[in-house]
């Protein structure tokens, strides 16, 4: 039995490390091509033709490759959103809550972060949100992302209360819901009109946010 095992191991050796690395690199290269193809098709003027077959053709892979990596169209689009998030430096969001000790500054940085993030790939995010409105599976992924952003808003409101005074039981949920709305893509998309800078948009959102959290600035610029 021992001789048989030794002979079998010689006949079927385990993949060498460099082969595994090469295979992983090829997989990642295919993944990047698929995501780039999906992005390109979604940004096309007529994106109603978007399908897994169309993505496969554009990426130069067979359709089973896409299903193997992403499982479904919703899985592909979820990973595409993750791709946008990485390019938009979503990992830096945590640093917003370590920015000094003033929760008002945390709110300003939170607003700044999301204005810049929504701007980073505005057209593609708009398409993904549009698909989420008509596809429940895609929409579920977007709702989970929105809930994480809302949790960030809750942290800021809790810290604001500790520093600036308590909100009433009616004021607090309204403040959270309103700040969640103000930092949404839909609000950014509506405010981002030609001739209005990102700094202008941030300023507008801040000024609308202040009354909601019962904050009165000492100096208001006109």
């Amino acid at each position: 039995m021992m001789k048989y095992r030794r002979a079998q191991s010689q006949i079927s050796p385990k993949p060498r490390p460099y082969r595994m690395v090469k295979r992983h690199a090829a997989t990642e290269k295919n993944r990047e091509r698929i995501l780039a193809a999906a992005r390109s098709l979604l940004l096309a003027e007529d994106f109603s033709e978007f399908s897994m077959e169309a993505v496969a053709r554009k990426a130069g892979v067979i359709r089973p490759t896409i299903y193997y990596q992403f499982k479904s169209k919703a899985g592909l689009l979820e990973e595409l959103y993750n791709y946008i998030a990485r390019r938009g430096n979503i990992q830096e969001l945590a640093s917003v809550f370590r920015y000094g000790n003033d929760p008002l500054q945390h709110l300003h940085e939170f607003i700044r972060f999301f204005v810049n993030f929504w701007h980073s790939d505005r057209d593609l995010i708009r398409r993904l949100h549009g698909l989420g409105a008509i596809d429940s599976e895609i929409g579920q992924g977007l709702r989970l992302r929105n809930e994480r952003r809302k949790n960030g808003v809750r942290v800021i409101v809790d810290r604001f209360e500790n520093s600036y005074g308590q909100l009433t039981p009616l004021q607090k949920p309204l403040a959270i819901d309103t700040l969640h709305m103000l930092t949404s893509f839909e609000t950014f998309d509506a405010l981002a009109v030609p001739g209005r800078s990102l700094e202008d948009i941030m300023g507008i959102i801040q000024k609308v946010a202040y009354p909601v959290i019962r904050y009165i600035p000492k100096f208001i610029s006109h």
Side-chain angles (χ1 to χ4, degrees), residues 96-138:
V96 166
F97 299 94
R98 298 192 295 267
Y99 197 98
N101 298 315
D102 185 358
L104 188 64
Q105 188 63 36
H106 295 165
L107 175 61
H108 291 170
E109 293 303 316
F110 193 80
I111 292 170
R112 178 180 297 278
F113 178 88
F114 276 102
V115 166
N116 283 312
F117 176 67
W118 301 135
H119 174 71
S120 69
D121 212 334
R122 180 185 180 187
D123 292 337
L124 182 57
I125 294 172
R126 187 189 295 120
R127 291 284 167 90
L128 288 170
H129 282 229
L131 288 172
I134 60 177
D135 187 307
S136 60
E137 191 176 0
I138 298 169

Side-chain angles (χ1 to χ4, degrees), residues 65-83:
T65 299
I66 302 181
Y67 282 103
Y68 175 75
Q69 293 213 23
F70 302 101
K71 311 304 181 187
S72 65
K73 183 168 76 170
L76 170 60
L77 295 180
E78 175 69 12
E79 186 54 36
L80 185 58
Y81 213 119
N82 290 336
Y83 177 72

Side-chain angles (χ1 to χ4, degrees), residues 135-147:
D135 187 307
S136 60
E137 191 176 0
I138 298 169
Q140 176 64 16
L142 294 177
R143 284 190 291 275
L144 290 174
R145 291 177 183 277
N146 280 332
E147 188 57 36

Side-chain angles (χ1 to χ4, degrees), residues 81 110-111 113-119 122 125 129 142 145-147 149-150 153 176-192 201 205:
Y81 213 119
F110 193 80
I111 292 170
F113 178 88
F114 276 102
V115 166
N116 283 312
F117 176 67
W118 301 135
H119 174 71
R122 180 185 180 187
I125 294 172
H129 282 229
L142 294 177
R145 291 177 183 277
N146 280 332
E147 188 57 36
R149 179 166 50 83
K150 193 169 189 177
V153 170
I176 292 170
D177 288 341
T178 304
L179 292 178
H180 185 231
M181 178 270 294
L182 288 173
T183 55
S184 69
F185 172 74
E186 288 71 22
T187 295
F188 166 78
D189 203 36
L191 291 175
I201 296 171
I205 294 174

